[in-house]
Amino acid sequence: MKTIADLKAIKEKHIYDIEMRRDHGVHKTDSVGNDKVRAHVMVCSGTGCTAGGAEKIITTFEECIAEKGISEEIKVVKTGCFGLCALGPIVIVYPEGVFYSEVKLENIPRIVEEHFIGGNVVKELVYPETLCKEDNSILPLDEVDFYKKQMRLALRNCGLINPDCIDEYIANDGYFAIAKCLTEMKPEEVIEVIKASGLRGRGGAGFPTGLKWGFAAKADTPDGQKYVACNADEGDPGAFMDRSVLEGDPHVLIEAMAIAAYSIGASYGFVYVRAEYPIAVMRLQRAIDDAREYGLLGKNVLGKGFEFDLEIRLGAGAFVCGEETALIRSIEGNRGEPKPRPPFPAVKGIFDRPTVLNNVETYANVPPIILQGADWFRGIGTEGSKGTKVFAVGGKISNVGLVEVPMGITLREVIYEIGGGIPNGKEFKAAQTGGPSGGCIPTEHLDAPIDFESLTALGSMMGSGGLIVMDEDNCMVDIAKFFLEFTVDESCGKCPPCRIGTKRMYEILERITEGKGEIEDIQKLEDLAETISANSLCALGQTAPNPVLSTLKYFRDEYEAHVSERRCPAGACRAMTSYHINEDCKGCALCIKACPADAITGERKAVHVIDQIKCVKCGACVLKCPFKAIVIK
């Protein structure tokens, strides 16, 4: 069993590694013999980079470094997500902070030879945005556009530590927050700090975390048993925030859940994570095993008489199990269906015992709040939305990936400064926040601050943190149909408004996008939306109409064009569009080669023609035409 003195000794032993990465550019010699190590090769091993071959990259680096006889000088480290997911596999070399992007196996011998032995950065393999435009020198990462407006709190260890090494977590103040709680704070004092911090749930609803913990602490239970639970189900399309924390920093969840358990008087916890996250599950289980071995989980945590343990429960990918009562039923071994509230889980949750349930990102904020204080956290964000928010940014944006920003930052800053803007010179059209439960925010609100209140006022919501960017080529009616189709498929079917109403809404949208809609359909959509929102049992049904309502609010003209003119303004609805070749055609025949339906004919150097009967409207010809001679009508 480790004691608090042991934690301090482990931190002293490994702090050299953390400082080399965290304070890159400052090379220090420590007191325990690590001065031989002159560089750390940090290889992203999140899901995206692993799919791109990160494991083989790690072994190849190790082999090449060993061949050159410099294994004692160069340390290769598996780590979590750096955020710029579209550039993977990513390798960052410290202490310089050199950012190698899209690394291939054949690049590795050259990096080892030129960089590690020759001392010269291989600049043609470096992410161009990290090169200074004036002198081509390497910029510190916090001066790169993607990073300089971010503030990584929940993601503070992702990309900094080896998630499979508990000692590295401890070296960066890991488990010192639970140690502080057990030695310096009473349970009610812990709750008061979380309340004072203003931390709100990051899973969607934004309920005050400390208030929830306080309810559970005061709740009566016949046998004294209480539980803490983590929602790591993360079902929103395009969302991978919680997954990245589990893959890059699993111990933070264990420590935070232990703190929550101490504050409410619980002795056991459950992490409900979707089975489609195999890397996250594997790393979390290893972290749980290591924490037990160190005495940080179990009967007598840190020798202070506190008992807490936890286990993983795998979900089968049902979106409805992100709703807290459905998640609890699934943990209990029942079908994942929501239950009426009250009673709320804080009073009657898992096995009818008081339960605190938060998501991964919410928990990830707890240890630094305990260590640095409520005032520190309250100093970040806006009046009603404290701290930061992690977003998975995707869609029509240059820098696809994971970002963490202070609450109150604007959409424009996230999309154009951090995200790099819209590719191919296209115009921004809308941003979808909150997943299927959220709404679409148009251009006129690009300068709206990102916080709980502002997004709700715009007809959207924070949600768990998905942010999908759309450009001029996206049809907003089709976007609404896409999200509603997801909701229809994921409805548990328990209540008629959600089970039947969303299906009827989807059928209307399907008619509209096929050119068969009528003007009355718009009013039908609004009436159905109101009924479903007011009468559904759980938040899945209550928020299901949001994508339709927000697109009707901001893009009503597109709906009217579909039903009144039988026209899709964006040219995205295939049933309502046709492809034509104009006089700009040079007869190069690239479109003929690209067409999968043999619908294009024409002689060389003559204007080609598209057979409208054969055309499947796939758009392959448009992508291949170098003269932009193919138009969509």
Side-chain angles (χ1 to χ4, degrees):
M1 177 193 298
K2 301 297 183 184
T3 64
I4 295 174
D6 293 328
L7 294 186
K8 292 177 179 178
I10 291 169
K11 178 176 179 177
E12 178 65 23
K13 181 178 179 181
H14 294 276
I15 191 63
Y16 171 88
D17 289 336
I18 303 302
E19 289 181 345
M20 178 181 280
R21 305 163 198 169
R22 186 176 56 206
D23 305 325
H24 54 87
V26 180
H27 185 63
K28 302 176 180 179
T29 301
D30 72 352
S31 59
V32 291
N34 285 321
D35 54 304
K36 289 183 179 179
V37 178
R38 58 183 175 86
H40 288 185
V41 183
M42 311 297 293
V43 183
C44 172
S45 297
T47 291
C49 288
T50 297
E55 291 187 4
K56 185 63 176 174
I57 285 171
I58 290 172
T59 57
T60 304
F61 261 118
E62 290 172 339
E63 291 167 359
C64 290
I65 289 168
E67 287 175 5
K68 299 296 181 179
I70 52 174
S71 294
E72 290 187 355
E73 302 173 44
I74 312 294
K75 185 175 182 177
V76 183
V77 183
K78 172 174 67 176
T79 191
C81 180
F82 294 113
L84 274 163
C85 304
L87 297 179
I90 294 172
V91 174
I92 296 183
V93 180
Y94 291 118
E96 305 100 315
V98 178
F99 189 120
Y100 289 114
S101 61
E102 299 180 270
V103 175
K104 299 176 175 59
L105 292 177
E106 56 266 29
N107 300 146
I108 295 173
R110 185 180 176 193
I111 293 172
V112 172
E113 182 67 39
E114 296 184 23
H115 186 164
F116 301 155
I117 296 178
N120 299 309
V121 174
V122 188
K123 292 186 177 177
E124 55 263 47
L125 301 179
V126 168
Y127 174 42
E129 296 299 316
T130 63
L131 294 174
C132 178
K133 291 179 173 57
E134 283 74 25
D135 59 7
N136 213 35
S137 61
I138 300 295
L139 290 171
L141 291 182
D142 57 9
E143 294 181 17
V144 176
D145 286 343
F146 181 77
Y147 292 107
K148 64 184 178 184
K149 286 201 169 183
Q150 290 196 51
M151 182 179 290
R152 289 166 74 93
L153 302 184
L155 300 177
R156 63 193 175 279
N157 282 330
C158 294
L160 179 69
I161 67 170
N162 179 348
D164 288 337
C165 180
I166 187 172
D167 288 354
E168 289 203 355
Y169 178 72
I170 292 170
N172 201 30
D173 293 328
Y175 291 108
F176 281 86
I178 183 62
K180 180 178 179 180
C181 292
L182 296 178
T183 57
E184 301 177 23
M185 304 173 74
K186 296 176 181 178
E188 56 269 24
E189 291 175 331
V190 174
I191 292 174
E192 287 306 312
V193 168
I194 300 301
K195 282 182 181 178
S197 73
L199 176 64
R200 296 171 64 176
R202 299 307 198 243
F207 191 82
T209 304
L211 197 59
K212 180 185 289 188
W213 290 17
F215 291 151
K218 293 175 182 177
D220 293 326
T221 173
D223 56 3
Q225 182 65 59
K226 297 181 180 181
Y227 296 103
V228 294
C230 176
N231 178 358
D233 189 59
E234 197 167 51
D236 286 5
F240 53 95
M241 301 76 59
D242 290 350
R243 187 194 75 199
S244 295
V245 174
L246 292 177
E247 291 175 349
D249 191 16
H251 284 282
V252 74
L253 177 59
I254 298 170
E255 181 176 17
M257 291 181 71
I259 292 169
Y262 173 72
S263 74
I264 71 166
S267 60
Y268 206 81
F270 299 90
V271 182
Y272 187 87
V273 57
R274 59 200 305 111
E276 297 97 326
Y277 285 179
I279 296 175
V281 171
M282 176 184 67
R283 291 183 186 163
L284 179 59
Q285 186 59 60
R286 182 180 288 118
I288 291 171
D289 295 340
D290 289 346
R292 284 199 192 109
E293 183 180 338
Y294 272 40
L296 298 165
L297 286 175
K299 295 288 185 183
N300 188 18
V301 173
L302 288 171
K304 297 300 178 181
F306 169 57
E307 178 181 347
F308 177 67
D309 210 339
L310 58 78
E311 65 176 277
I312 298 171
R313 290 287 176 95
L314 297 181
F319 180 64
V320 74
C321 286
E323 193 277 337
E324 60 181 7
T325 61
L327 184 151
I328 286 170
R329 284 181 60 82
S330 185
I331 285 177
E332 294 170 340
N334 300 310
R335 187 173 189 264
E337 289 181 330
K339 296 192 297 186
R341 299 176 300 174
F344 292 92
V347 175
K348 193 174 182 180
I350 296 172
F351 303 122
D352 291 334
R353 300 300 188 270
T355 301
V356 156
L357 175 61
N358 291 115
N359 80 328
V360 176
E361 185 185 345
T362 309
Y363 279 124
N365 284 283
V366 169
I369 289 174
I370 295 297
L371 289 177
Q372 301 190 55
D375 290 343
W376 162 78
F377 192 78
R378 288 189 66 84
I380 305 165
T382 66
E383 181 61 32
S385 302
K386 302 300 182 183
T388 61
K389 182 72 189 79
V390 182
F391 287 97
V393 183
K396 307 291 185 66
I397 192 164
S398 297
N399 296 333
V400 173
L402 200 68
V403 306
E404 184 173 3
V405 292
M407 294 279 198
I409 195 172
T410 65
L411 275 171
R412 185 184 301 276
E413 290 173 284
V414 172
I415 293 168
Y416 284 96
E417 296 183 38
I418 297 173
I422 316 301
N424 305 317
K426 298 286 185 176
E427 292 293 323
F428 169 83
K429 190 170 192 177
Q432 165 84 6
T433 66
S437 303
C440 297
I441 301 170
T443 305
E444 58 262 36
H445 295 298
L446 264 175
D447 292 310
I450 296 176
D451 58 43
F452 289 105
E453 291 77 17
S454 297
L455 293 182
T456 301
L458 292 174
S460 188
M461 62 186 296
M462 185 78 71
S464 60
L467 197 161
I468 308 299
V469 180
M470 290 159 275
D471 68 11
E472 61 195 74
D473 295 332
N474 288 109
C475 167
M476 301 314 294
V477 184
D478 188 55
I479 288 294
K481 185 181 79 169
F482 167 80
F483 282 109
L484 202 63
E485 181 180 20
F486 178 86
T487 305
V488 169
D489 287 342
E490 293 294 338
S491 172
C492 74
K494 185 171 183 177
C495 68
C498 180
R499 182 182 71 244
I500 301 171
T502 57
K503 180 66 173 175
R504 298 292 86 83
M505 288 185 75
Y506 175 76
E507 290 169 351
I508 293 171
L509 289 169
E510 197 168 35
R511 288 202 305 271
I512 292 174
T513 56
E514 289 176 353
K516 301 173 184 177
E518 303 296 337
I519 195 67
E520 295 82 9
D521 286 333
I522 296 177
Q523 186 60 49
K524 290 178 183 177
L525 283 172
E526 292 178 324
D527 291 344
L528 276 167
E530 182 179 342
T531 300
I532 294 165
S533 296
N535 296 287
S536 292
L537 175 61
C538 80
L540 184 148
Q542 293 161 8
T543 59
N546 283 353
V548 178
L549 290 173
S550 66
T551 51
L552 277 170
K553 179 180 180 180
Y554 297 117
F555 302 97
R556 197 180 191 91
D557 58 325
E558 291 198 23
Y559 282 85
E560 292 172 346
H562 280 71
V563 298
S564 300
E565 305 172 30
R566 299 288 188 260
R567 178 178 66 87
C568 175
C573 297
R574 292 186 182 183
M576 308 177 70
T577 58
S578 57
Y579 290 71
H580 302 268
I581 300 177
N582 62 28
E583 294 302 318
D584 292 331
C585 175
K586 307 300 181 184
C588 68
L590 289 176
C591 59
I592 294 177
K593 294 177 182 178
C595 180
D598 296 325
I600 306 177
T601 57
E603 300 294 326
R604 283 276 186 179
K605 299 184 179 180
V607 176
H608 295 349
V609 177
I610 298 177
D611 185 329
Q612 297 301 320
I613 296 175
K614 289 184 177 181
C615 179
V616 295
K617 304 174 185 178
C618 65
C621 55
V622 178
L623 295 174
K624 281 293 183 181
C625 181
F627 308 107
K628 298 184 179 179
I630 302 174
V631 295
I632 305 172
K633 297 182 179 179

